[in-house]
Amino acid sequence: MVKRNVQQCSTVFIAYMPLLVFIAVLCADVFALRYKFITPLSMIGGAQVQVELLIWVVVVAYFLDAHNARVMERTTKAKRHIATTPVIDSVVSDGQRQASLEVPTERVPPEKLYGCHGRSTESGDLSVHEGCRQRSDLYIINSMLADGVPCKTSKVLEVMHSCIRLGRGDAAVKLFDQMLQTGATPRAHLIGKAVSHKFFKLVAETLDDKRIQEDGVRLLELGRAHGIAPSPATQNRLLDAWKNQLPDFVLRYFLEMKDAGVILSRWAYRYIVVAHERSDPSLALKVYSEMEVLGIQLDRAAYNAVLGARFQLGMLDEARELFLRMADSSLVPNEKTYGVMIKVYLASNSLEEAIALFETMQEQGLDPDRYAYHHAIRASIALQRVEYAVGLYNDMVEKKVPPLMSTIALLSGVCAGAGWNALAVELMTHMARAKKADAAHGLQT
């Protein structure tokens, strides 16, 4: 007891030592000059003593007040630091989990729960607090993994903080599974958006493709229930899980989000354009216009989809203009690009340009499909270049590209009209074989 009192007195003496030294120096200076500057020579006796005493009281009170203000400021910061420390709501003893205990209303700092006694200074204090917080987070996560967490916003927020700080994706998925069963807490939208973003990002990064396919849309819905728009990273994780084959319900959900004012990721915009090239070309072009306003550049797949949508709607001049600007986006045309543009030039009666595009496609080492061959053969026949058309057909057979029934019928009729009867009969034989092959493979004729 005596030792503790001596230590406390020593601490107080050390804390006030700079102030005492300063006051002593000040007293010496004032004492030396007091007769000249502080008290007039005419004052003698009691009046002089009273004036000097008043001056000393004012000086000492001023410096004591400033010192006390600094001490109170440090004390207030320390109390605020302790008040924001995480709280443990239940205990585990003897290696077995017991029933949770009632916790007093007073918040208990982790330092007391985990034996973090005393207070260190600066870096030492920070390291001690960090260790206590990690043990607190581990306890919260282990309790949640074993028993779940009450459907209270404060409790859910506590677990979310712990998952984020420790990077525990498994615990985040466990909480996510509980949310799927019970739904978001009634006041989930009051949770800080930064916390919700980090939590759902951690969940999305932890789930495998199968779980994303099963519960990806519900993951986005839970995020919206917490008052946040699905982040581009979370949206892209869902899109990536489907490997470019989005089902209709996922596409509809993304369209609903867009209509609700949610900012979609660049990848989501491109998926919508590609998916609606044939089924709804007007929608594809509408979304493309939004992408232009937002400054989202097209990739090659989206570029081809816009070209195809414009062809579907008869916007041939606009398709040619967009094709000529493709190089400005540092994009190289592929087989589909050339296939669409051959149709565009053929439909606009630019037959020579259509054949030139077909030849350019072959020169670049790209393999035309059955539709590109068909439109090139049609352009050749329209230009009365029948031999060239027959050569294109033979090239297609040599490369084992299954021809369209309409291609064979068109070429056979032209050959019969030109007096090439043997070739026409051979083509009809090819047609019979091709029809059986198409029926076996379910190909469009």
Side-chain angles (χ1 to χ4, degrees), residues 5-25:
N5 291 336
V6 172
Q7 290 177 346
Q8 291 177 352
C9 293
S10 300
T11 303
V12 173
F13 181 76
I14 292 173
Y16 282 89
M17 176 61 73
L19 179 63
L20 296 175
V21 171
F22 180 77
I23 292 175
V25 173

Side-chain angles (χ1 to χ4, degrees), residues 332-375:
V332 179
N334 62 358
E335 293 90 343
K336 182 173 181 179
T337 312
Y338 282 113
V340 173
M341 292 311 301
I342 290 171
K343 290 191 297 182
V344 169
Y345 281 109
L346 179 63
S348 59
N349 204 33
S350 300
L351 305 178
E352 294 286 355
E353 289 83 351
I355 294 176
L357 272 182
F358 184 87
E359 293 175 345
T360 301
M361 180 181 182
Q362 290 183 309
E363 290 172 359
Q364 293 182 358
L366 301 176
D367 296 324
D369 61 9
R370 61 198 317 217
Y371 301 100
Y373 272 109
H374 173 76
H375 294 109

Side-chain angles (χ1 to χ4, degrees), residues 89-365:
D89 298 311
S90 57
V91 295
V92 177
S93 61
D94 299 329
Q96 298 180 349
R97 186 167 303 280
Q98 303 296 333
S100 61
L101 302 178
E102 292 293 330
V103 181
T105 56
E106 181 182 358
R107 298 182 66 86
V108 182
E111 289 88 346
K112 293 185 179 180
L113 283 168
Y114 293 107
C116 298
H117 302 294
R119 297 179 59 191
S120 304
T121 58
E122 298 182 357
S123 61
D125 182 67
L126 292 176
S127 62
V128 170
H129 173 69
E130 183 65 24
C132 294
R133 189 172 68 178
Q134 287 182 0
R135 287 190 287 273
S136 175
D137 289 337
L138 283 173
Y139 183 85
I140 292 171
I141 287 178
N142 290 336
S143 299
M144 187 274 298
L145 292 176
D147 301 328
V149 61
C151 192
K152 291 183 178 181
T153 304
S154 59
K155 299 298 182 182
V156 171
L157 176 61
E158 190 176 55
V159 176
M160 292 171 70
H161 271 301
S162 298
C163 293
I164 294 169
R165 282 195 289 259
L166 297 182
R168 289 289 298 270
D170 58 331
V173 171
K174 175 76 173 181
L175 180 56
F176 168 67
D177 291 337
Q178 179 176 315
M179 290 180 180
L180 293 181
Q181 296 176 359
T182 62
T185 59
R187 304 179 66 186
H189 62 283
L190 298 179
I191 294 176
K193 292 185 178 181
V195 176
S196 297
H197 270 299
K198 291 178 182 178
F199 174 78
F200 287 109
K201 182 175 182 290
L202 182 61
V203 173
E205 292 173 348
T206 305
L207 294 176
D208 58 20
D209 287 350
K210 183 178 179 181
R211 278 298 308 274
I212 288 290
Q213 291 177 3
E214 293 174 356
D215 298 320
V217 171
R218 299 177 70 186
L219 173 65
L220 300 185
E221 289 178 345
L222 276 173
R224 296 175 71 181
H226 280 73
I228 61 172
S231 67
T234 304
Q235 295 179 41
N236 292 342
R237 179 68 186 91
L238 174 58
L239 297 172
D240 181 62
W242 287 101
K243 306 302 181 187
N244 299 326
Q245 296 179 351
L246 294 183
D248 291 339
F249 77 92
V250 176
L251 280 173
R252 286 196 301 270
Y253 186 79
F254 274 92
L255 286 173
E256 290 173 1
M257 287 197 300
K258 185 180 75 69
D259 294 338
V262 176
I263 298 177
L264 301 184
S265 69
R266 298 171 182 265
W267 201 1
Y269 270 110
R270 292 163 181 158
Y271 264 105
I272 293 174
V273 171
V274 172
H276 294 88
E277 172 191 354
R278 293 180 177 275
S279 61
D280 194 345
S282 297
L283 175 61
L285 294 183
K286 178 182 177 182
V287 175
Y288 165 65
S289 298
E290 293 182 17
M291 294 174 67
E292 284 190 311
V293 173
L294 295 174
I296 300 175
Q297 293 185 351
L298 297 174
D299 61 359
R300 188 164 59 186
Y303 223 104
N304 292 338
V306 174
L307 290 174
R310 287 184 171 180
F311 171 76
Q312 294 285 335
L313 297 175
M315 302 169 63
L316 305 181
D317 292 338
E318 292 82 353
R320 285 197 298 268
E321 180 185 355
L322 183 63
F323 174 69
L324 294 176
R325 296 205 318 261
M326 192 171 184
D328 297 337
S329 301
S330 301
L331 296 175
V332 179
N334 62 358
E335 293 90 343
K336 182 173 181 179
T337 312
Y338 282 113
V340 173
M341 292 311 301
I342 290 171
K343 290 191 297 182
V344 169
Y345 281 109
L346 179 63
S348 59
N349 204 33
S350 300
L351 305 178
E352 294 286 355
E353 289 83 351
I355 294 176
L357 272 182
F358 184 87
E359 293 175 345
T360 301
M361 180 181 182
Q362 290 183 309
E363 290 172 359
Q364 293 182 358

